[in-house]
Amino acid sequence: QVQPVESGGGSVQAGGSLRLSCAASGPSYSSPYNSNCMGWFRQAPGKEREGVAHITTGIATGVGDTWYAESVSGRFTISQDNAKKTVYLQIDSLRPEDTAMYYCGAGFWAGGRCQPVYWGQGTQVTVSS
């Protein structure tokens, strides 16, 4: 089982930046038997959870393939450090509408995106205008 643990959220003003981290504990998160991708998702109050940026981590899929939601393309950058079993989300040019709980999920790559099986507890991002 893979346990993602998020960190790095906070309160920032519009136009600022944050870097979120997701550390995966447990067996190697890049094993095809445990997971081969990780993804960032967010959920704003009263809205459904949505994917924002995903990355492959498994050898079988090719390490480093990415997917971004259109709404964040160009402002969000997902990256990984396999040695640390950690995935990062660099968020630049933050907007008030980026305010949400950000979740990290580990799972399996399908249909060009990460389909999470394991979820973290989330980290809050609040952007003030």
Side-chain angles (χ1 to χ4, degrees):
Q1 184 170 349
V2 179
Q3 180 58 55
V5 178
E6 306 95 336
S7 62
S11 297
V12 297
Q13 289 190 330
S17 298
L18 282 174
R19 190 175 82 153
L20 308 183
S21 299
C22 176
S25 64
S28 173
Y29 77 148
S30 63
S31 164
Y33 301 103
N34 295 297
S35 73
N36 58 24
C37 66
M38 294 184 80
W40 286 97
F41 300 75
R42 67 185 181 185
Q43 187 167 18
K47 295 187 177 181
E48 293 187 355
R49 189 174 297 188
E50 63 175 354
V52 294
H54 303 169
I55 191 167
T56 56
T57 58
I59 295 173
T61 54
V63 176
D65 290 346
T66 58
W67 170 87
Y68 292 94
E70 188 173 340
S71 61
V72 306
S73 182
R75 298 189 299 120
F76 289 25
T77 304
I78 191 169
S79 61
Q80 63 186 323
D81 184 334
N82 277 351
K84 296 181 178 179
K85 295 196 294 184
T86 299
V87 171
Y88 304 98
L89 184 68
Q90 177 68 37
I91 311 176
D92 298 317
S93 301
L94 277 157
R95 304 168 179 170
E97 54 264 39
D98 294 320
T99 295
M101 184 71 79
Y102 282 70
Y103 296 92
C104 178
F108 298 93
W109 197 260
R113 303 185 190 188
C114 191
Q115 308 297 328
V117 175
Y118 311 105
W119 289 98
Q121 295 299 308
T123 185
Q124 178 69 37
V125 172
T126 302
V127 185
S128 58
S129 58

